[in-house]
Amino acid sequence: LVFTATVALLPTIKLGDLATVKVKHKAKEITDQEIDNVLNDLKKMQTKEIIKPEVATKDDKVIINMEMFLDKVPVEGGQAPNHQVYLNEPHYIPGLAEQLVGLKKDDTKEFSLKFPKDHYQKHLAGRDIDFKIKVNEVFELQHPDVNEEFAKTLGQESVEKLKNVLRENLAQEAKQKDEQKIEIEILDQMIEAAEFSEIPDVLINAEKNKIFQELKYSLENQGIDLEKYLKDLKKTEEDIYKDFAEQALRRVKAALLSRQVAIENKIKAEKADLDAEVKQIKAAYPDNKNVEENLKKPEVLDTLSLTIQNRKVMSWLKEQILGSKA
């Protein structure tokens, strides 16, 4: 008997010259306005809601029963009982909050609004939608003052110390975003400079499936049904897979490029690196037997090792290109 087998081979990669990669950090100064914005968000977290019999103002919250109609036909999923609307915040339907100002409990109102052109429900995007509203309740929102007492509820001795902590946190967040941007730019430029032989479809299809699973997980966390999401987009799962082609190809190239850098520069995850990673994960999920069992599986350990290796590769690249690991 003679067997013929066709297998996909990893493509060969010729790396470009690192000297051609040009990236730089962009320092960001934290402004007083940014700190004030965070303080306002913190104030909202301690807001007291008081029922009021008077009409709603732009600083109140209303609870409404909302019905939407398109050409006098009820919109699927457009019935929202006890829908909360903060009248001083942008609503996903522009103009809705303005229509509710001046109403009080048990008031009803009918009006039309145009949905945004970029709304994810394509059959509603840019269309004039009719609304029927009944106000169930109006709440006055009482925000705390930013004073010493407020600072102490957040674990700080004074408003000044609270602002200093917020400034440090915002600066750290800005630094992390800058690092992410730098890493993306390095990979993009290196992919552009590298030469790849033909990339097998099996790698691209596997990456498409990963991206699709990530989308499903994201939708589930937002409480959005995948079938409804696809219906609103007027697309099938096959269409979505096709949409992922370019993103999947870029991710495959990035993974192959990182692997090649690791091979050529003898970069790998050492046992000590893996042990430290496992210890950190266990500490994050104490007494979780599922995590304990998963961390014993060879395929999970292999994935962790690859993740560590990719981090070490990026650290090495930044050291070569920027002169430092950070």
Side-chain angles (χ1 to χ4, degrees), residues 99-110:
Q99 290 287 342
L100 302 178
V101 172
L103 301 181
K104 62 181 184 300
K105 182 177 180 179
D106 295 328
D107 280 352
T108 59
K109 189 174 183 179
E110 297 185 18

PDB file of all heavy atoms in Angstrom, residues 99-110:
ATOM      1  N   GLN A  99     -36.550  65.013  25.165  1.00  0.00           N
ATOM      2  CA  GLN A  99     -38.003  64.832  25.078  1.00  0.00           C
ATOM      3  C   GLN A  99     -38.622  64.552  26.449  1.00  0.00           C
ATOM      4  O   GLN A  99     -39.827  64.774  26.653  1.00  0.00           O
ATOM      5  CB  GLN A  99     -38.335  63.679  24.122  1.00  0.00           C
ATOM      6  CG  GLN A  99     -38.054  63.971  22.669  1.00  0.00           C
ATOM      7  CD  GLN A  99     -39.051  64.938  22.067  1.00  0.00           C
ATOM      8  OE1 GLN A  99     -40.140  65.161  22.596  1.00  0.00           O
ATOM      9  NE2 GLN A  99     -38.695  65.542  20.931  1.00  0.00           N
ATOM     10  N   LEU A 100     -37.803  64.084  27.394  1.00  0.00           N
ATOM     11  CA  LEU A 100     -38.338  63.683  28.701  1.00  0.00           C
ATOM     12  C   LEU A 100     -38.273  64.802  29.742  1.00  0.00           C
ATOM     13  O   LEU A 100     -38.926  64.723  30.782  1.00  0.00           O
ATOM     14  CB  LEU A 100     -37.567  62.455  29.215  1.00  0.00           C
ATOM     15  CG  LEU A 100     -37.602  61.225  28.293  1.00  0.00           C
ATOM     16  CD1 LEU A 100     -36.759  60.107  28.884  1.00  0.00           C
ATOM     17  CD2 LEU A 100     -39.025  60.758  28.042  1.00  0.00           C
ATOM     18  N   VAL A 101     -37.449  65.809  29.467  1.00  0.00           N
ATOM     19  CA  VAL A 101     -37.366  66.944  30.388  1.00  0.00           C
ATOM     20  C   VAL A 101     -38.724  67.652  30.430  1.00  0.00           C
ATOM     21  O   VAL A 101     -39.339  67.910  29.394  1.00  0.00           O
ATOM     22  CB  VAL A 101     -36.262  67.928  29.952  1.00  0.00           C
ATOM     23  CG1 VAL A 101     -36.315  69.204  30.797  1.00  0.00           C
ATOM     24  CG2 VAL A 101     -34.888  67.277  30.066  1.00  0.00           C
ATOM     25  N   GLY A 102     -39.201  67.956  31.627  1.00  0.00           N
ATOM     26  CA  GLY A 102     -40.480  68.646  31.774  1.00  0.00           C
ATOM     27  C   GLY A 102     -41.651  67.711  32.024  1.00  0.00           C
ATOM     28  O   GLY A 102     -42.778  68.171  32.270  1.00  0.00           O
ATOM     29  N   LEU A 103     -41.413  66.388  31.995  1.00  0.00           N
ATOM     30  CA  LEU A 103     -42.478  65.429  32.300  1.00  0.00           C
ATOM     31  C   LEU A 103     -42.430  65.041  33.767  1.00  0.00           C
ATOM     32  O   LEU A 103     -41.384  65.118  34.411  1.00  0.00           O
ATOM     33  CB  LEU A 103     -42.326  64.185  31.419  1.00  0.00           C
ATOM     34  CG  LEU A 103     -42.365  64.383  29.895  1.00  0.00           C
ATOM     35  CD1 LEU A 103     -42.231  63.040  29.201  1.00  0.00           C
ATOM     36  CD2 LEU A 103     -43.637  65.094  29.472  1.00  0.00           C
ATOM     37  N   LYS A 104     -43.565  64.588  34.294  1.00  0.00           N
ATOM     38  CA  LYS A 104     -43.619  64.116  35.677  1.00  0.00           C
ATOM     39  C   LYS A 104     -44.261  62.732  35.700  1.00  0.00           C
ATOM     40  O   LYS A 104     -44.674  62.204  34.658  1.00  0.00           O
ATOM     41  CB  LYS A 104     -44.406  65.092  36.557  1.00  0.00           C
ATOM     42  CG  LYS A 104     -45.856  65.294  36.192  1.00  0.00           C
ATOM     43  CD  LYS A 104     -46.507  66.299  37.139  1.00  0.00           C
ATOM     44  CE  LYS A 104     -48.001  66.448  36.852  1.00  0.00           C
ATOM     45  NZ  LYS A 104     -48.293  66.914  35.491  1.00  0.00           N
ATOM     46  N   LYS A 105     -44.336  62.149  36.887  1.00  0.00           N
ATOM     47  CA  LYS A 105     -44.867  60.795  37.033  1.00  0.00           C
ATOM     48  C   LYS A 105     -46.260  60.684  36.410  1.00  0.00           C
ATOM     49  O   LYS A 105     -47.103  61.570  36.561  1.00  0.00           O
ATOM     50  CB  LYS A 105     -44.928  60.415  38.508  1.00  0.00           C
ATOM     51  CG  LYS A 105     -45.418  58.986  38.741  1.00  0.00           C
ATOM     52  CD  LYS A 105     -45.401  58.611  40.215  1.00  0.00           C
ATOM     53  CE  LYS A 105     -45.897  57.179  40.392  1.00  0.00           C
ATOM     54  NZ  LYS A 105     -45.890  56.750  41.797  1.00  0.00           N
ATOM     55  N   ASP A 106     -46.460  59.565  35.676  1.00  0.00           N
ATOM     56  CA  ASP A 106     -47.709  59.194  35.004  1.00  0.00           C
ATOM     57  C   ASP A 106     -47.971  59.992  33.723  1.00  0.00           C
ATOM     58  O   ASP A 106     -48.980  59.753  33.055  1.00  0.00           O
ATOM     59  CB  ASP A 106     -48.918  59.322  35.940  1.00  0.00           C
ATOM     60  CG  ASP A 106     -48.849  58.336  37.099  1.00  0.00           C
ATOM     61  OD1 ASP A 106     -48.304  57.235  36.892  1.00  0.00           O
ATOM     62  OD2 ASP A 106     -49.324  58.670  38.197  1.00  0.00           O
ATOM     63  N   ASP A 107     -47.092  60.931  33.361  1.00  0.00           N
ATOM     64  CA  ASP A 107     -47.247  61.635  32.081  1.00  0.00           C
ATOM     65  C   ASP A 107     -46.979  60.676  30.934  1.00  0.00           C
ATOM     66  O   ASP A 107     -46.176  59.733  31.050  1.00  0.00           O
ATOM     67  CB  ASP A 107     -46.279  62.822  31.986  1.00  0.00           C
ATOM     68  CG  ASP A 107     -46.779  64.045  32.733  1.00  0.00           C
ATOM     69  OD1 ASP A 107     -47.939  64.006  33.198  1.00  0.00           O
ATOM     70  OD2 ASP A 107     -46.030  65.028  32.838  1.00  0.00           O
ATOM     71  N   THR A 108     -47.645  60.905  29.805  1.00  0.00           N
ATOM     72  CA  THR A 108     -47.386  60.145  28.586  1.00  0.00           C
ATOM     73  C   THR A 108     -47.005  61.124  27.477  1.00  0.00           C
ATOM     74  O   THR A 108     -47.353  62.302  27.523  1.00  0.00           O
ATOM     75  CB  THR A 108     -48.620  59.329  28.156  1.00  0.00           C
ATOM     76  OG1 THR A 108     -49.717  60.219  27.937  1.00  0.00           O
ATOM     77  CG2 THR A 108     -48.993  58.306  29.223  1.00  0.00           C
ATOM     78  N   LYS A 109     -46.310  60.601  26.481  1.00  0.00           N
ATOM     79  CA  LYS A 109     -45.887  61.466  25.383  1.00  0.00           C
ATOM     80  C   LYS A 109     -45.584  60.616  24.157  1.00  0.00           C
ATOM     81  O   LYS A 109     -45.084  59.490  24.272  1.00  0.00           O
ATOM     82  CB  LYS A 109     -44.642  62.267  25.787  1.00  0.00           C
ATOM     83  CG  LYS A 109     -44.244  63.349  24.790  1.00  0.00           C
ATOM     84  CD  LYS A 109     -43.082  64.185  25.336  1.00  0.00           C
ATOM     85  CE  LYS A 109     -42.722  65.307  24.376  1.00  0.00           C
ATOM     86  NZ  LYS A 109     -41.599  66.143  24.893  1.00  0.00           N
ATOM     87  N   GLU A 110     -45.900  61.149  22.979  1.00  0.00           N
ATOM     88  CA  GLU A 110     -45.567  60.496  21.716  1.00  0.00           C
ATOM     89  C   GLU A 110     -44.754  61.470  20.872  1.00  0.00           C
ATOM     90  O   GLU A 110     -45.060  62.661  20.795  1.00  0.00           O
ATOM     91  CB  GLU A 110     -46.841  60.077  20.966  1.00  0.00           C
ATOM     92  CG  GLU A 110     -47.669  59.035  21.721  1.00  0.00           C
ATOM     93  CD  GLU A 110     -48.873  58.543  20.904  1.00  0.00           C
ATOM     94  OE1 GLU A 110     -48.859  58.748  19.672  1.00  0.00           O
ATOM     95  OE2 GLU A 110     -49.795  57.971  21.514  1.00  0.00           O
TER      96      GLU A 110
END
